[in-house]
Amino acid sequence: MPLMVLSRQRVARCLTVLIAAGAFSSAIARDVDVLAYRVRIDPDLAARSLTGAETVQVVANITGTAVLELDAGGLTIDSVTSDAGPLVFAREGKQLRVMLPATLHAGQPMDVHLTYHGKPTFGLEFHPETEQLYTIFSTSEWLPSIDAPDARATLDLSVAVPATFDAIGNGRMVSRTPLEHGRVLYRWQQDVPVPGFVYGFAAGRFHGVDQKAPGVSLRFLSRDLGKDQLKQVFGDTADMLAFFGDKAGTPYTGSYQQALVTDTIGQELAGFALMSEAYGQDVLKDPTREDLIAHEAAHQWWGIRVTCESWNDFWLNEGFANFMAAAWAQHRFGDAVYDATVDRWRQRVERLVSEGKDHPLVYTQWVKPTRDDRAVVYQKGAYALHLLRRELGEDAFWKGIRDYTRQFAGKSVTTADFRKSMELSSGRDLSAFFARWVTGKNAHP
Ligand SMILES: [Zn+2]
């Protein structure tokens, strides 16, 4: 996944009341958590714009004046109300701050209703020329929500699209209802709380193929490829999910959908993944190019079920997905493919070191990452996992991965959590390994 880290500008307007209430003292612990989002989006493909109506179910962690902080991208907020009437709100850069009633008690849930509109320049991709509409990070560019990876909530998402469109979204589709002007309203429910950065949908005039695997229903979508080609591109998906489920010690169940869209570098979302049509063509020509399919599928465990607590530990999402894709390739295509991948990682790490660009896998501030920072997280992260596998041996390494994944399913993790799992499973002190490869830098491969 690509990552936007948003800078926060200070905007004073309308904030006087909130500041007077002493609402901005807490930077890490949130005064207010979001339990659920219920939202309807009405996009206009030709105008590249949208309107939205959203209900955010929140719970305050403090008694007294609490402030709900949401990321709202470039959206214009038209109204914010509770069931009792209007609420005071203000923008600070891309953030929206809503002052909740002073009578709210800690632990007491309430609904906050928002209406908004906008013309997102990213986050939601409008492609009238190919008749497609799909999401790419960041969610807050089309849905006011919390971008931070440690905030999990359920999602009930409805999107109005032309009746000729097929669409996929998070969780299970609960309805497809005809609307006026030749449109339909798709509605999906994501009942298991997940981080907001994996919310999304894709809609367009797709061909679709359905397949059944044990415990999982699969769907592949594309505008350009026919059904036989789709089956060829995504033919290993069921085996991949079974492989990762085995490595994770916890199976994938429900539905998993993959769509080839007009243009993206590839993106994991809860219950589905988006890749580009051009990438699909690559896999048709060379099946060993399915590493991105495997990378995004691996994220359903490492990234979505088990999520880095902050972007500083992003390697726990991306280094893992890269490593697991290589482990799949080893299983599917043999040791030579795995070894070649490991060698590419090693060379990239060597280049980081020789250019003085090496960095610990754990960042103190993951802001505006460079290409080299991404190489650290994606390639060095995967390489460190390979070295740990070699260090511990197959049994202890994979037992540790299973224990870690099962223990932290549905939770946020830090690098310390991962280290502890691996130390417990192997019965070894891994401080030297982690100091060299994870929290240290200038490592010599
Ligand atoms: Zn990824």
Side-chain angles (χ1 to χ4, degrees):
M1 63 166 276
L3 181 69
M4 307 291 168
V5 174
L6 308 171
S7 64
R8 289 175 179 169
Q9 299 160 355
R10 299 277 154 187
V11 177
R13 198 158 70 88
C14 300
L15 288 174
T16 318
V17 174
L18 301 179
I19 290 166
F24 298 136
S25 56
S26 169
I28 298 169
R30 294 181 185 88
D31 286 358
V32 181
D33 286 327
V34 174
L35 302 176
Y37 299 95
R38 190 169 71 245
V39 60
R40 171 172 167 167
I41 312 280
D42 282 66
D44 183 330
L45 189 58
R48 298 172 190 268
S49 65
L50 67 89
T51 60
E54 176 186 14
T55 294
V56 188
Q57 189 188 18
V58 304
V59 61
N61 295 319
I62 58 169
T63 296
T65 304
V67 174
L68 168 65
E69 299 182 340
L70 298 176
D71 301 295
L75 294 166
T76 301
I77 307 300
D78 298 315
S79 68
V80 184
T81 58
S82 70
D83 292 335
L87 294 170
V88 175
F89 67 98
R91 293 299 295 262
E92 185 185 352
K94 292 193 167 201
Q95 250 199 344
L96 169 68
R97 296 177 181 233
V98 179
M99 192 161 70
L100 302 181
T103 50
L104 196 66
H105 292 281
Q108 182 187 350
M110 73 168 283
D111 285 348
V112 177
H113 311 287
L114 291 86
T115 58
Y116 59 93
H117 69 276
K119 283 176 75 96
T121 53
F122 67 98
L124 182 55
E125 291 270 317
F126 297 90
H127 285 279
E129 78 288 359
T130 53
E131 298 183 285
Q132 287 183 11
L133 176 73
Y134 51 89
T135 55
I136 289 188
F137 307 104
S138 298
T139 300
S140 57
E141 298 293 330
W142 55 274
L143 164 61
S145 53
I146 298 175
D147 279 335
D150 67 313
R152 287 172 188 268
T154 60
L155 174 68
D156 181 329
L157 174 65
S158 298
V159 182
V161 297
T164 51
F165 280 20
D166 202 342
I168 57 175
N170 305 120
R172 61 195 169 87
M173 191 177 94
V174 292
S175 58
R176 184 181 181 279
T177 312
L179 295 174
E180 70 288 358
H181 308 307
R183 299 183 308 156
V184 289
L185 190 69
Y186 277 88
R187 183 178 178 192
W188 303 274
Q189 285 179 341
Q190 170 68 38
D191 298 325
V192 176
V194 291
F197 75 90
V198 292
Y199 293 170
F201 64 91
R205 296 177 69 125
F206 296 121
H207 306 113
V209 172
D210 292 294
Q211 278 187 356
K212 268 314 257 185
V216 191
S217 53
L218 301 172
R219 190 135 187 265
F220 321 134
L221 300 156
S222 162
R223 173 179 178 267
D224 296 348
L225 298 189
K227 293 191 175 186
D228 287 345
Q229 291 172 310
L230 273 171
K231 283 183 198 163
Q232 202 178 323
V233 170
F234 293 114
D236 280 343
T237 305
D239 290 342
M240 266 178 206
L241 293 176
F243 175 81
F244 293 136
D246 181 51
K247 295 305 180 197
T250 166
Y252 189 91
T253 54
S255 76
Y256 186 61
Q257 309 185 84
Q258 295 168 102
L260 298 175
V261 296
T262 305
D263 184 30
T264 176
I265 60 167
Q267 179 182 354
E268 78 279 16
L269 297 131
F272 69 103
L274 302 181
M275 286 154 266
S276 70
E277 293 279 10
Y279 171 70
Q281 298 285 354
D282 289 345
V283 180
L284 270 184
K285 287 180 206 135
D286 176 4
T288 63
R289 294 289 314 277
E290 65 179 19
D291 53 336
L292 182 64
I293 296 173
H295 176 108
E296 304 304 355
H299 271 315
Q300 296 298 322
W301 287 267
W302 303 284
I304 297 177
R305 284 193 199 181
V306 179
T307 313
C308 58
E309 186 176 273
S310 85
W311 300 122
N312 295 333
D313 278 311
F314 196 31
W315 83 281
L316 294 173
N317 291 14
E318 298 303 339
F320 267 70
N322 258 8
F323 170 77
M324 291 296 170
W328 159 259
Q330 181 181 28
H331 170 80
R332 173 69 175 82
F333 300 108
D335 287 346
V337 172
Y338 177 79
D339 293 343
T341 304
V342 170
D343 207 48
R344 282 197 298 277
W345 295 336
R346 185 184 55 73
Q347 288 174 28
R348 188 68 181 95
V349 173
E350 281 177 356
R351 189 146 66 86
L352 286 167
V353 173
S354 68
E355 292 174 356
K357 301 285 178 53
D358 192 23
H359 191 283
L361 290 178
V362 182
Y363 280 70
T364 50
Q365 218 181 4
W366 180 261
V367 177
K368 294 187 179 165
T370 63
R371 183 181 286 264
D372 291 319
D373 291 325
R374 289 177 185 280
V376 167
V377 163
Y378 282 74
Q379 274 92 45
K380 183 184 172 184
Y383 188 56
L385 288 169
H386 160 76
L387 293 178
L388 188 59
R389 177 186 186 183
R390 206 171 62 183
E391 175 82 20
L392 298 181
E394 290 295 287
D395 289 351
F397 176 79
W398 289 113
K399 180 181 183 304
I401 295 289
R402 284 195 302 276
D403 291 349
Y404 163 76
T405 310
R406 282 199 292 236
Q407 182 181 352
F408 293 103
K411 298 193 177 96
S412 302
V413 277
T414 63
T415 295
D417 294 325
F418 173 58
R419 176 178 156 185
K420 205 167 163 188
S421 289
M422 299 312 283
E423 289 187 331
L424 277 173
S425 69
S426 64
R428 287 181 49 180
D429 174 4
L430 294 174
S431 53
F433 181 92
F434 272 73
R436 178 169 181 191
W437 286 106
V438 180
T439 54
K441 66 171 184 173
N442 293 322
H444 295 288

